[in-house]
């Protein structure tokens, strides 16, 4: 029986966005791409979930799907959830792969400060009659500057969840991960910088860092074969 590979997409990611990678991986592994609540066909939860709630959701799905110690691959927000699960349920998985994982959340930095100020003042500024029609594109531009485009693309309970999970730092959880771990990062990742990948790899005891030159945040989309080669070599 082939090894089981469980994929957790990032914020807004779906089975469709991981189709190219999944098709490649199916040549060697039993692949399951799990859509997280609020994305794809999974409805949003009724409450405002945190990372730990998403980890429990994945744990329940692993048991429901009868997956036996799968290799867990998490991208971006999916990597944050994967790291949380690996730290708190060490016997549930065999190996961990983190790609551009949003596992470290600095309490305060310049971009976030500008983003918060702009978001607050923008409500007043963008309501002025002469520039009211510019509100939507202008806000999207501010979110891009703050590396938070996901915030601008969310609404309702999804936005409330987003605001919660981006405040959850997993520094202590990373130190507790026991599974062999592969950390993969692109040098041009503008969503989660390479410096975060280096810190994550340093915090996880049994890990190694692979850096893809020219790679951006969505390595599974931009450099599918390169990412898969690293994943396959690590698992085998």
């Amino acid at each position: 029986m082939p090894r089981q590979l469980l994929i957790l997409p990032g914020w807004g990611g779906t089975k469709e966005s991981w189709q190219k990678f999944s098709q490649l991986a199916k040549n060697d592994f039993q692949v399951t791409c799990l859509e997280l609540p609020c994305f794809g066909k999974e409805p949003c939860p009724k409450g405002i979930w945190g990372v730990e709630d998403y980890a429990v959701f994945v744990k329940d799905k692993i048991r429901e799907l009868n997956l036996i110690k799968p290799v867990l691959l998490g991208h971006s927000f999916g990597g944050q959830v994967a790291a949380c699960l690996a730290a708190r349920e060490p016997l549930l998985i065999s190996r961990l792969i983190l790609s551009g994982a949003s596992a470290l959340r600095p309490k305060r930095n310049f971009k976030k400060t500008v983003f918060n100020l702009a978001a607050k003042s923008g409500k007043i500024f963008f309501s002025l009659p002469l520039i009211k029609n510019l509100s939507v594109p202008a806000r999207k531009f501010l979110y891009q500057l703050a590396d938070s485009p996901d915030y601008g693309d969310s609404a309702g309970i999804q936005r409330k969840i987003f605001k919660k999970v981006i405040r959850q730092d997993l520094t202590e959880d990373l130190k507790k991960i026991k599974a062999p771990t592969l950390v993969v990062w692109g040098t041009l990742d503008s969503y989660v910088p390479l410096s975060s990948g280096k810190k994550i790899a340093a915090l996880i005891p049994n890990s190694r860092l692979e850096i893809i030159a020219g790679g951006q945040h969505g390595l599974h989309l931009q450099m599918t074969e390169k990412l898969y080669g690293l994943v396959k070599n690590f698992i085998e």
Side-chain angles (χ1 to χ4, degrees), residues 33-199:
C33 184
L34 189 63
E35 293 178 330
L36 298 173
C38 278
F39 308 111
K41 295 182 180 180
E42 282 290 341
C44 285
K46 294 180 180 179
I48 303 173
W49 277 17
V51 177
E52 63 284 349
D53 298 300
Y54 276 92
V56 170
F57 171 84
V58 176
K59 178 182 72 172
D60 292 341
K61 283 293 183 180
I62 288 176
R63 291 171 176 169
E64 178 185 321
L65 297 170
N66 197 31
L67 300 179
I68 309 300
K69 295 182 74 69
V71 175
L72 185 60
L73 191 168
H75 170 249
S76 197
F77 171 61
Q80 186 181 17
V81 176
C84 179
L85 180 64
R88 303 183 187 193
E89 297 288 342
L91 300 180
L92 204 59
I93 66 170
S94 60
R95 290 172 179 260
L96 176 66
I97 302 169
L98 301 175
S99 174
S102 305
L104 299 178
R105 303 288 190 174
K107 291 184 178 180
R108 190 181 295 274
N109 61 38
F110 178 74
K111 279 192 174 183
K112 288 187 181 297
T113 300
V114 171
F115 168 69
N116 290 332
L117 289 173
K120 291 177 181 178
S121 63
K123 291 180 181 179
I124 299 173
F125 181 74
F126 294 135
S127 66
L128 297 176
L130 293 177
I131 55 177
K132 191 173 182 179
N133 292 334
L134 298 177
S135 176
V136 173
R139 280 187 179 127
K140 286 189 175 182
F141 177 68
L142 288 175
Y143 300 145
Q144 290 287 351
L145 286 179
D147 288 340
S148 299
D150 291 332
Y151 180 84
D153 293 335
S154 62
I157 188 71
Q158 187 185 85
R159 178 169 289 190
K160 292 179 180 179
I161 291 172
F162 180 79
K163 290 171 70 175
K164 182 174 183 177
V165 299
I166 64 170
R167 293 182 174 93
Q168 294 187 270
D169 181 83
L170 298 185
T171 296
E172 295 305 315
D173 287 270
L174 293 172
K175 297 175 184 177
K176 300 174 184 176
I177 294 175
K178 297 180 180 179
T181 302
L182 173 66
V183 180
V184 187
W185 233 268
T187 57
L188 300 182
D189 192 330
S190 62
Y191 282 64
V192 188
L194 177 57
S195 58
S196 290
K198 292 179 179 179
K199 290 178 183 177

